[in-house]
Amino acid sequence: MSLATDLPHSEGRASGEAAKTPGTGAEKPAPRRRSRQRRERLFQWLFLVPAVVYMTLFFGYPVVKNVVMSFQEYTTSTFFTGEAPWVGFTNYVTVLQSSLFSTSLINTALFTIGSILGQFVIGLALAIFFQRKFPLNGILRSLLLLPWLLPLIVSSAVWRWILDKDSGALNRFLGDLGIIDTGIPWLTSTSLALIAVVGVNIWIGIPFNLTILYGGLQEIPDELYEAGSLDGATGWKAFRNITWPMLRPVVSVVLVLGVVYTLKVLDIILGLTNGGPANSTQTIATQSYNLSFHEFKFGEGAALGNVLVIISLVFAVLYLRASRRAVDE
Amino acid sequence: MKSAQRTYRPLALAVAALVGLPLALSGCGSTTAASSSETATELSVMDYYNNEPDKSFIGDALSKCGTQLGVTVKRETVPGKSLISKVLQQSSSKTLPDVLMLDNPDLQQIAATGALAPLADFKVSTENFAEGVLSAGTYKDKVYGLAPTVNTIALFYNKDILAAAGVTPPTTWEELKAASAKLTAGDQYGLAFNANPTYEGTWQFLPVMWSNGGDEKKIDTKETEQALQLWTDLVKSGSVSSSALNWTQADVKDQFLAGKAAMMVNGPWQIPALDKQPTLQYGVVKIPVREAGQTSVAPLGGEVWTVPQTGNKARQAKAAEMVACLNSDENQLAMATARNTIPSKTTLSDKFASDNPKLATFTELIKTARARTGQLGEEWPAQATKIYTAIQTSLTGNASPADALKQAQGQ
């Protein structure tokens, strides 16, 4: 205690103002407490600074820049001259009126809904399956994580070989089973390419769903099932009345996160089909990438990117509400 | 307060460092451009030959020229796909290298930004170059880049397969269709080309489009429609696998190597891979034209070397000498021979073709080869996108060639 009282004292002497007003013992504690509080507050802010600086530099700046860019005629010249004339909403009008926009929008919706449905249903089924105790359970579960660990560009390259019409492994397999006579053009038919791409994306997304849902299932206390079985709730009934209601908060988090991740998928589509054939796998994300980095229309690319950001934002708000509810519950 | 100050200081320093670090990093690169000296002793070079054997071939040529010019060469190689983004990044931070290599269809984009210096400023000779090569390096009547060696595409055929089927290499579209149909059997397709939704797909289509008088400025014409009809017929009849819609040129080469395609449209850069398989006997002919008598016009490929506006006159002058040195007759011949490409000076073609019979067809084609950006300049990417979109729409059967072209042109 003596040290604590000593230090502020010497401090008071050092700072000119405190030396001029030699206060009585009764006055002293109040400003001291206040200054300590202020110092603590300052510390709190200082600890926030790295995070705030990081967020501003790496999240805030690109987002703001992207919004600004979408209102400019931003071309290759801009990089050298720094000149980017303002064009108002021209980029948005061009992008939204393009005949490709509706195609990309529909593809984005189909791709997202299809991927999420597949990933979630299969992920949930596997999560429930792995709840049972059986030998090699742990090893199998970790093996299922592999798709998640592979770089996306590797996955897409491998799947491109597997799905090849003439010499792909999948068609060979189906042919050997006698199911098909001629190769199915998985990636080169306008009606199949999107399905194939969704299929590959489901394969990639299963581990994420499996892991989170498995974690959620572990949280459900065994007693509930024991009590349920006494009342005759087993199998499907147990799932409907115990598992599903208890899992709901986790489910909403998985679904919303899944949607936001899937909306922006780029590498898989570029690696498998490049948006083709005939734009049948072109999504808003791939189209935005094409505009910016292949056609050098950076303003239009940014505008389309922002459209995607707004769509994601809707789901991000849903996510925030869902996670708040999950905490409440 | 003293003790408190002591605790604050490292924290404040850390914060300052965190804020300042990116600034400091971005500042680093510009020092080379800022310092101006009378004589340059060093040149920075950037190119995308990051794979062997090209990496060494180009590296050797650069260091040889460096010794000749009395400068040390600081070379950076980046992957092809990231070169343009790197160039744009560097041009906004004013840290472009002294000598910059660009893929020829990208030259106009970069020249339009003002980041490159016209080679005439440094009295670099542009004599004897093939017309297409100069037009690829020209933006608004000024030459900004020169390619020591160039390439193009032609029709490769498997001699054994053709001989066994009694087929001679086709010269017209009718012959091409007939030959492809006859050579299609079982696992083997008559022909392989690439029609994927990238500029590669456009590039492979250009020979039939141009030879028939098609124009990239306006694609909904009779001439282009006939060319697209040919491509569509070949896929529809099954002579070409519909996988062409997704193949790259490397995939096409793999099909040809595996004997799954009797003929293919491809370029001389595949020759080393083909030669690795000693059992494969192949020949190269020009891509067939619609009617005998038409000229086979091939698109010009290859990379141009440029001198960016770095602001350091002494180094720019040296950089221009480097570009001139890479383009000397001797270097053109050496690089072309080593890399299976074609010297860009027409005065060298006869000697080169007789020394390298395998490349004779390509050498012949270069004389009339056209630059993709020759007419359109910086409009090329947008128009090339329309062309591959039309190809894909027609080849998948989503629209007739005429409608596909009309749709794409109006896009």
Side-chain angles (χ1 to χ4, degrees):
Chain A
M1 213 36 219
S2 73
L3 198 77
T5 44
D6 244 26
L7 271 173
H9 201 71
S10 62
E11 203 182 277
R13 241 182 279 151
S15 81
E17 211 185 322
K20 257 181 243 165
T21 53
T24 59
E27 276 176 25
K28 256 187 175 176
R32 207 197 301 162
R33 205 181 302 139
R34 209 180 299 147
S35 78
R36 184 176 296 165
Q37 257 178 7
R38 207 180 301 149
R39 213 184 301 159
E40 266 175 24
R41 180 71 46 86
L42 190 65
F43 256 117
Q44 285 169 1
W45 280 106
L46 275 177
F47 276 115
L48 271 178
V49 165
V52 170
V53 168
Y54 177 81
M55 293 284 282
T56 322
L57 276 178
F58 294 104
F59 290 96
Y61 177 74
V63 169
V64 171
K65 180 83 186 168
N66 208 44
V67 171
V68 170
M69 239 166 121
S70 67
F71 293 109
Q72 289 176 316
E73 193 186 315
Y74 209 100
T75 59
T76 41
S77 313
T78 312
F79 287 91
F80 188 72
T81 59
E83 284 164 23
W86 297 97
V87 292
F89 281 92
T90 316
N91 288 328
Y92 286 92
V93 172
T94 317
V95 160
L96 296 179
Q97 277 184 349
S98 142
S99 56
L100 245 181
F101 180 70
S102 55
T103 317
S104 317
L105 189 67
I106 293 168
N107 286 343
T108 306
L110 291 176
F111 179 76
T112 308
I113 295 169
S115 300
I116 295 295
L117 266 182
Q119 291 170 1
F120 178 74
V121 172
I122 300 175
L124 182 61
L126 284 172
I128 292 171
F129 175 72
F130 279 110
Q131 255 197 315
R132 298 155 189 252
K133 290 189 174 60
F134 57 86
L136 297 182
N137 179 316
I139 292 172
L140 277 176
R141 214 156 14 100
S142 44
L143 278 179
L144 270 170
L145 282 181
L146 273 180
W148 209 15
L149 303 177
L150 276 180
L152 287 178
I153 206 73
V154 175
S155 312
S156 57
V158 171
W159 275 101
R160 218 168 82 91
W161 294 335
I162 296 176
L163 295 172
D164 187 81
K165 189 187 99 165
D166 302 304
S167 43
L170 183 63
N171 281 344
R172 279 279 165 87
F173 177 70
L174 294 174
D176 287 348
L177 286 180
I179 298 174
I180 53 167
D181 294 336
T182 50
I184 299 175
W186 294 109
L187 295 174
T188 51
S189 143
T190 44
S191 46
L192 284 176
L194 190 61
I195 296 174
V197 173
V198 167
V200 173
N201 196 45
I202 289 176
W203 176 81
I204 286 163
I206 288 173
F208 173 73
N209 284 261
L210 168 63
T211 310
I212 307 277
L213 292 171
Y214 183 78
L217 286 175
Q218 297 298 92
E219 296 279 296
I220 304 174
D222 284 343
E223 296 92 69
L224 281 180
Y225 290 103
E226 285 164 19
S229 69
L230 288 179
D231 295 330
T234 51
W236 172 245
K237 263 191 190 160
F239 176 80
R240 251 200 68 184
N241 296 313
I242 304 171
T243 313
W244 186 251
M246 293 297 287
L247 203 59
R248 230 194 40 204
V250 181
V251 167
S252 53
V253 170
V254 167
L255 287 182
V256 176
L257 274 183
V259 169
V260 176
Y261 287 156
T262 313
L263 276 173
K264 65 179 175 62
V265 165
L266 195 72
D267 343 33
I268 285 297
I269 299 178
L270 291 183
L272 282 172
T273 61
N274 242 313
N279 290 320
S280 59
T281 54
Q282 194 79 262
T283 62
I284 296 184
T286 58
Q287 175 63 3
S288 160
Y289 176 84
N290 273 341
L291 281 173
S292 296
F293 299 106
H294 287 143
E295 294 190 45
F296 304 118
K297 295 172 177 167
F298 295 96
E300 288 180 27
L304 197 56
N306 286 332
V307 171
L308 194 62
V309 168
I310 292 167
I311 298 174
S312 302
L313 216 54
V314 173
F315 289 95
V317 170
L318 283 177
Y319 166 69
L320 285 177
R321 298 184 72 182
S323 60
R324 202 186 305 142
R325 210 186 309 137
V327 169
D328 290 348
E329 279 172 18
Chain B
M1 232 1 226
K2 258 180 205 159
S3 65
Q5 266 177 349
R6 225 167 271 150
T7 41
Y8 283 146
R9 207 175 288 145
L11 195 74
L13 273 176
V15 170
L18 207 72
V19 176
L21 190 66
L23 299 174
L25 284 178
S26 67
C28 275
S30 56
T31 46
T32 46
S35 67
S36 172
S37 57
E38 283 304 301
T39 50
T41 54
E42 187 192 77
L43 283 181
S44 56
V45 177
M46 187 164 76
D47 62 68
Y48 66 38
Y49 302 104
N50 63 329
N51 286 324
E52 293 299 348
D54 276 352
K55 190 177 178 182
S56 305
F57 289 147
I58 299 291
D60 292 347
L62 282 167
S63 42
K64 222 176 80 194
C65 280
T67 323
Q68 213 172 311
L69 302 173
V71 290
T72 48
V73 175
K74 240 178 67 197
R75 180 187 182 211
E76 184 187 4
T77 59
V78 299
K81 276 186 179 165
S82 53
L83 180 75
I84 286 299
S85 50
K86 183 108 188 181
V87 168
L88 292 176
Q89 214 177 312
Q90 290 184 335
S91 72
S92 69
S93 58
K94 308 279 180 265
T95 54
L96 284 164
D98 299 307
V99 180
L100 171 68
M101 183 229 78
L102 289 169
D103 193 11
N104 79 70
D106 291 330
L107 176 117
Q108 315 244 347
Q109 287 289 339
I110 306 301
T113 70
L116 303 178
L119 293 179
D121 290 5
F122 308 100
K123 314 247 174 336
V124 176
S125 163
T126 53
E127 258 171 45
N128 301 332
F129 282 88
E131 203 185 314
V133 178
L134 277 188
S135 94
T138 305
Y139 172 73
K140 293 203 171 148
D141 302 328
K142 281 183 183 161
V143 178
Y144 287 85
L146 287 177
T149 70
V150 287
N151 59 53
T152 186
I153 44 179
L155 189 72
F156 287 75
Y157 64 93
N158 186 318
K159 282 182 175 168
D160 295 334
I161 297 179
L162 262 73
V167 174
T168 50
T171 57
T172 65
W173 290 2
E174 282 313 312
E175 285 175 28
L176 178 68
K177 277 202 254 186
S180 304
K182 204 169 174 193
L183 292 165
T184 302
D187 247 8
Q188 173 194 304
Y189 288 95
L191 174 69
F193 56 67
N194 132 26
N196 72 18
T198 70
Y199 299 147
E200 233 182 32
T202 306
W203 149 265
Q204 289 233 321
F205 176 68
L206 288 174
V208 283
M209 171 174 142
W210 278 344
S211 304
N212 197 39
D215 184 358
E216 61 268 33
K217 273 193 202 153
K218 189 177 180 305
I219 57 172
D220 51 345
T221 59
K222 186 85 197 148
E223 290 79 13
T224 306
E225 186 199 321
Q226 286 171 333
L228 187 52
Q229 187 71 55
L230 170 74
W231 245 220
T232 310
D233 288 347
L234 283 166
V235 171
K236 242 187 202 162
S237 65
S239 301
V240 172
S241 169
S242 68
S243 297
L245 284 157
N246 203 21
W247 276 340
T248 62
Q249 295 185 114
D251 294 326
V252 169
K253 175 232 4 177
D254 290 341
Q255 296 293 319
F256 185 75
L257 263 181
K260 291 189 169 180
M263 303 183 283
M264 70 164 175
V265 178
N266 228 321
W269 58 90
Q270 308 287 17
I271 288 178
L274 300 182
D275 286 347
K276 264 191 202 150
Q277 195 163 310
T279 49
L280 177 75
Q281 297 290 317
Y282 62 89
V284 183
V285 291
K286 292 180 185 179
I287 290 169
V289 291
R290 188 169 58 83
E291 285 173 340
Q294 283 180 320
T295 317
S296 185
V297 184
L300 185 89
E303 292 81 14
V304 292
W305 293 84
T306 66
V307 178
Q309 297 277 18
T310 50
N312 185 327
K313 285 291 159 209
R315 285 177 78 130
Q316 276 189 293
K318 269 284 180 222
E321 284 179 47
M322 173 66 88
V323 173
C325 173
L326 289 172
N327 281 288
S328 71
D329 290 7
E330 182 201 345
N331 272 333
Q332 284 207 354
L333 285 170
M335 280 157 86
T337 312
R339 300 182 50 230
N340 281 300
T341 46
I342 315 300
S344 58
K345 288 181 186 167
T346 45
T347 39
L348 301 174
S349 29
D350 290 341
K351 178 182 160 36
F352 183 76
S354 63
D355 288 351
N356 302 273
K358 234 178 241 173
L359 294 166
T361 305
F362 293 106
T363 312
E364 186 62 31
L365 280 166
I366 288 302
K367 291 179 187 162
T368 54
R370 242 166 93 174
R372 282 161 277 178
T373 49
Q375 277 193 26
L376 292 162
E378 39 182 332
E379 290 301 309
W380 165 251
Q383 206 62 15
T385 304
K386 290 178 183 177
I387 296 176
Y388 74 64
T389 305
I391 299 174
Q392 289 245 315
T393 311
S394 178
L395 258 53
T396 51
N398 279 14
S400 69
D403 289 341
L405 288 165
K406 214 173 285 165
Q407 276 172 28
Q409 176 66 53
Q411 220 172 52

